[in-house]
Amino acid sequence: MMFGYYLDLALRSLRRNKVLTTLMVLALALGIGACITTLTVLKLLSGDPIPQKSAQLFYPQLDPYPANQPFSRSGKRLPFLMSYVDAMNLIHAHKAERQAAMAMSQVKLMPPSGEGKPFYAQGVLATADFFPMFDAPFQYGSGWTAADDDSRAQVVVIAGYLNDKLFGGANSVGKMIRIEDHDFRIIGVLRAWAPQPRFYALHLGGRSYGKGDAVFLPLQGARADGLMPSAMMGYGKSIDVDHLESAEAIWLGLWVQLPNAAAVSTYRSFLGNYAREQVSLGRFRKSHTALSGLMEWMRSEHVVPEDVRLQAGLAFGFLLICVVNTVGLLLAKCLRRSREIGVRRALGASRGAIFAQFMVEAAIVGLAGGVLGLCFAELGLLGIRHQPAQYASLAHLDLSMFLFTFVVALAASLVAGLLPAWRACVVAPAPQLKDA
Amino acid sequence: MRTFRQIQPILAALRSHKTAVILLVLEIALTMAVLGNLVFIVYGTIQRSHVSTGVAESQIGLIQSITVIGEQSQGTTAGDLAALRNVPGVTHAAYGGPPLWYVERDPVFLDPSRQHPVAQMYEFQGSQDLSRTLGLHIVEGHDFSDDELPVLAKMSMSKDFQFPVLITRALADRLYPGGNALGRVLYDGNAASRVVGIVDHLRGEITGRPDDDYSMVYEYVVGAQNMGGGFMIRASDPARLPQVLHAAAAALQKADPAHVQNKLFTMPELRAKYFRSDLATGRMLLAIILILLVVTALGVSGLASFWVQQRRRQIGMRRALGATRGDILRYFQIENFLIVTGGVLLGALFAYALNLFLMHRFELAHLPANYLLAGAVALWLLGQLAVLGPALRAAAVPPVVATRSV
């Protein structure tokens, strides 16, 4: 009941001083708008790319580098890619439920029947488990098998958007497509599939955001045709690019699927044993290994662009300034009403009642700031969508951010209201009534 | 003198509003910290977008041409280049790529054992005439002469072959701090190179780091091959570059019909695209800066007008006791100046701390002191502007208010 009364009092007070109220709401709304805009982008970029599976996906790392020439200057970070020999040894051990090695490659595509111009597209070279492990959905056909990997089959899975472009969306399974001047038979067409960020392309030279990769080829088959990975690093004297499979070079990403904690710890010890075995064989100098979960891996590798983090940090600084601003203005308002408070106290209102009254007032300012801030955030996101960044078109406010806006608004305004409300409730009634 | 004598009573008055003063000082300090660093970041981006790559950007155009293997082509790369050179308005043409466009980056070593890379350098490679097409400025040594260039067709040459190369002044100073880079031999991942000339600048990318300007250029003679990739032209007249580039593309198409031209762009277009995202971010930060200034001004002016209202009786009394309107106006202006000064001093500290954090976290450069000075001046002006309205209203309070009960 008292709440209704406080609400009435608060609204009266806010109405009485329209300019000050507008200033408070506006300042808070600007701060909230900036915060929600940058947070939406941050959330988009650091989101879970594959929520149903991310807990089961792991990224193993080994260190084949010579002792005097560590991979990182500090010697603490492990190489983020794997050599062909190690990737194949780990895959053929079949110690995980699923396992796939992959590389990215910029490939030249010729439209079928020679119509139209050739163009470049992003290709993925992978082993067979790639599709089931990452839950890539098929519109037509299917992926290839481990047998296809071994027989270096000249087959390809294409993205839905490429199928739309080249075949008008029709079932193209069985048709041929020319990639880097070699003919490949289409065996599958994916539905729209583009994990954001593209975790598997990290360090492989692919794009992290956007509509997804265009073609998927069996690793060995594509390599037999001379397709080159976009990223490779040598740990020997030089890279023999003609024999990458046996070169002292890392150029593959390996992902494994481990269904539960027991499987993870089994795999971890398998990986450790493998590294020690390689040390005893003289291939490795160091036996340290790592096995990171997908989300952990993305965090440690700073997938989110630095400038986005910077903007989010600045937006919080900005919100802080707006909150300080609101504290000042609320304080001004409440000090001005010392007499009114004195009267209410003299008539029997408790300190708690005064405190509650002022907090309700702050909360109303916060809610109004939240609503207006939401408008500003929509405007800000509209601006982001017109930016040239890879992720621009994905920037939309979702339900959770919508609700979060009000949480931020309420929290900010209540924090801002604490000091003024406390100052109001300690006002002594008598002096305010005496004079003037 | 009058002004100085006023400071004492103002300070005394401020002491009775400690909380509000502290809040204002805090707000101004935070604004200054965020503002100083934001302006620094935006200015850095703008400055970076004006750094030259060192080539004759306004005259260079590029045709990306894809060969289609399997189709019999009558054309040769030498023929393609000759066709390009014959286009009216083209002064030079070469096979190769310009800066800012997928330039290869390799470690560079001083000895053939390749144990300790000295630096990472950009490697520009292409056909004869590459350096003249790029319009490089050779400051020491000489440009490539045709008789010293290796011939591409015979490039599986002996291991002892040393490519003649041009390197930038910055790379020369990094590799040979004592000078005398000319004639020295250096090594990348695969080959040995002998420095024949030094160019003033050639940046592979523009990131703001000093090693942007670590570059090496080498040329080889192309002949009967049929290669796809980048074909660059240099036009004599920058104003006619787009037309000349299109004419050149048409000539290349005619000379080599089996090629498919994927992309066609001028160096100014490439540059605009390269910086598009950075400049867009800069514009967004600029918007934040403006909003920040408005919010702070609103806060200052809101509190000031509250103080004026609260002190109407005192103001009336002072007026009745002989203070002029100017005295009252100045009172509030000085009060604001004192508060902003407090905020600026604290703000300088905050700005420095924030800068240290950003340097640690985001590779930002050190914030120069003049940014703090500029920030302080901006906030003083902003404060005076924000307080002007309330101060004028205070000055307009008639002395008779003193005799009324509020």
Side-chain angles (χ1 to χ4, degrees), chain A residues 350-423:
Chain A
S350 67
R351 286 196 170 163
I354 302 287
F355 188 81
Q357 177 195 336
F358 277 85
M359 288 307 274
V360 168
E361 201 174 314
I364 291 175
V365 170
L367 283 181
V371 172
L372 193 60
L374 214 53
C375 301
F376 287 143
E378 280 292 359
L379 272 179
L381 288 173
L382 193 72
I384 300 259
R385 284 197 290 276
H386 284 97
Q387 300 231 335
Q390 282 180 35
Y391 51 79
S393 62
L394 304 164
H396 286 278
L397 205 62
D398 58 8
L399 182 68
S400 62
M401 282 313 274
F402 181 84
L403 296 175
F404 185 65
T405 307
F406 288 97
V407 174
V408 171
L410 263 185
S413 64
L414 289 180
V415 167
L418 275 179
L419 180 75
W422 180 74
R423 287 293 293 263

Side-chain angles (χ1 to χ4, degrees), chain A residues 108 311 314 318 325 332 336 423, chain B residues 19 66-67 281 299 306 309:
Chain A
K108 185 171 74 184
Q311 282 165 27
L314 286 169
F318 186 53
N325 185 56
R336 201 158 164 185
R423 287 293 293 263
Chain B
T19 326
I66 303 177
T67 56
T281 306
F306 158 69
Q309 288 245 326

Side-chain angles (χ1 to χ4, degrees), chain A residues 216-228:
Chain A
F216 302 82
L217 303 153
L219 176 66
Q220 285 94 339
R223 283 287 304 141
D225 288 333
L227 270 70
M228 292 299 285

Side-chain angles (χ1 to χ4, degrees), chain A residues 196-273:
Chain A
Q196 312 283 344
R198 203 101 66 258
F199 61 98
Y200 60 78
L202 191 61
H203 300 307
L204 290 175
R207 287 161 72 91
S208 303
Y209 301 93
K211 64 179 177 176
D213 301 309
V215 293
F216 302 82
L217 303 153
L219 176 66
Q220 285 94 339
R223 283 287 304 141
D225 288 333
L227 270 70
M228 292 299 285
S230 298
M232 53 184 130
M233 294 182 77
Y235 53 87
K237 295 247 154 57
S238 63
I239 306 181
D240 183 359
V241 289
D242 296 328
H243 304 98
L244 263 189
E245 274 68 11
S246 56
E248 293 183 311
I250 52 172
W251 54 280
L252 286 165
L254 181 74
W255 284 91
V256 297
Q257 181 180 339
L258 303 167
N260 51 45
V264 174
S265 77
T266 312
Y267 199 85
R268 214 180 281 281
S269 54
F270 156 69
L271 205 59
N273 289 338

Side-chain angles (χ1 to χ4, degrees), chain B residues 100-146:
Chain B
L100 311 182
W101 195 63
Y102 309 112
V103 187
E104 204 176 311
R105 201 152 186 244
D106 266 332
V108 52
F109 306 88
L110 288 174
D111 61 283
S113 71
R114 296 188 173 85
Q115 284 294 331
H116 306 287
V118 184
Q120 292 277 321
M121 64 175 176
Y122 293 100
E123 278 188 20
F124 291 81
Q125 48 143 321
S127 69
Q128 62 271 31
D129 248 5
L130 176 69
S131 77
R132 277 182 284 271
T133 307
L134 289 172
L136 301 178
H137 296 215
I138 291 160
V139 291
E140 231 180 281
H142 64 87
D143 198 351
F144 300 112
S145 58
D146 285 346

Side-chain angles (χ1 to χ4, degrees), chain A residues 169-205:
Chain A
N171 186 350
S172 59
V173 169
K175 297 224 167 86
M176 302 301 281
I177 181 174
R178 206 164 168 77
I179 300 170
E180 287 286 316
D181 308 312
H182 294 276
D183 288 317
F184 287 84
R185 186 168 50 85
I186 298 172
I187 56 164
V189 177
L190 292 183
R191 283 179 206 285
W193 183 67
Q196 312 283 344
R198 203 101 66 258
F199 61 98
Y200 60 78
L202 191 61
H203 300 307
L204 290 175

Side-chain angles (χ1 to χ4, degrees), chain A residues 13-26 333 365:
Chain A
S13 140
L14 291 172
R15 263 202 301 272
R16 199 162 37 213
N17 213 319
K18 290 202 183 72
V19 180
L20 217 55
T21 308
T22 315
L23 286 186
M24 283 191 291
V25 171
L26 198 63
K333 283 198 65 175
V365 170

Side-chain angles (χ1 to χ4, degrees), chain A residues 102-338:
Chain A
M102 59 212 71
M104 304 295 291
S105 184
Q106 180 90 351
V107 296
K108 185 171 74 184
L109 281 181
M110 273 296 283
S113 70
E115 294 159 19
K117 296 175 170 185
F119 55 94
Y120 279 105
Q122 194 60 256
V124 177
L125 317 184
T127 55
D129 275 354
F130 181 90
F131 301 102
M133 185 164 67
F134 293 157
D135 287 349
F138 279 86
Q139 189 177 359
Y140 304 115
S142 64
W144 57 86
T145 61
D148 291 330
D149 274 334
D150 294 337
S151 67
R152 287 164 172 49
Q154 304 274 324
V155 295
V156 60
V157 168
I158 66 174
Y161 70 84
L162 188 67
N163 191 49
D164 292 344
K165 178 175 173 172
L166 297 182
F167 302 99
N171 186 350
S172 59
V173 169
K175 297 224 167 86
M176 302 301 281
I177 181 174
R178 206 164 168 77
I179 300 170
E180 287 286 316
D181 308 312
H182 294 276
D183 288 317
F184 287 84
R185 186 168 50 85
I186 298 172
I187 56 164
V189 177
L190 292 183
R191 283 179 206 285
W193 183 67
Q196 312 283 344
R198 203 101 66 258
F199 61 98
Y200 60 78
L202 191 61
H203 300 307
L204 290 175
R207 287 161 72 91
S208 303
Y209 301 93
K211 64 179 177 176
D213 301 309
V215 293
F216 302 82
L217 303 153
L219 176 66
Q220 285 94 339
R223 283 287 304 141
D225 288 333
L227 270 70
M228 292 299 285
S230 298
M232 53 184 130
M233 294 182 77
Y235 53 87
K237 295 247 154 57
S238 63
I239 306 181
D240 183 359
V241 289
D242 296 328
H243 304 98
L244 263 189
E245 274 68 11
S246 56
E248 293 183 311
I250 52 172
W251 54 280
L252 286 165
L254 181 74
W255 284 91
V256 297
Q257 181 180 339
L258 303 167
N260 51 45
V264 174
S265 77
T266 312
Y267 199 85
R268 214 180 281 281
S269 54
F270 156 69
L271 205 59
N273 289 338
Y274 174 78
R276 277 188 291 278
E277 185 186 293
Q278 297 304 311
V279 170
S280 65
L281 287 172
R283 273 193 68 231
F284 286 9
R285 298 283 167 277
K286 296 165 244 176
S287 62
H288 50 322
T289 61
L291 185 67
S292 321
L294 193 160
M295 295 308 281
E296 181 192 349
W297 171 243
M298 290 210 309
R299 264 193 304 280
S300 69
E301 295 303 313
H302 301 293
V303 174
V304 178
E306 290 288 274
D307 60 338
V308 172
R309 279 182 193 282
L310 183 68
Q311 282 165 27
L314 286 169
F316 266 99
F318 186 53
L319 181 63
L320 183 66
I321 291 170
C322 292
V323 168
V324 172
N325 185 56
T326 310
V327 178
L329 295 178
L330 276 175
L331 190 68
K333 283 198 65 175
C334 104
L335 291 179
R336 201 158 164 185
R337 283 152 62 196
S338 299

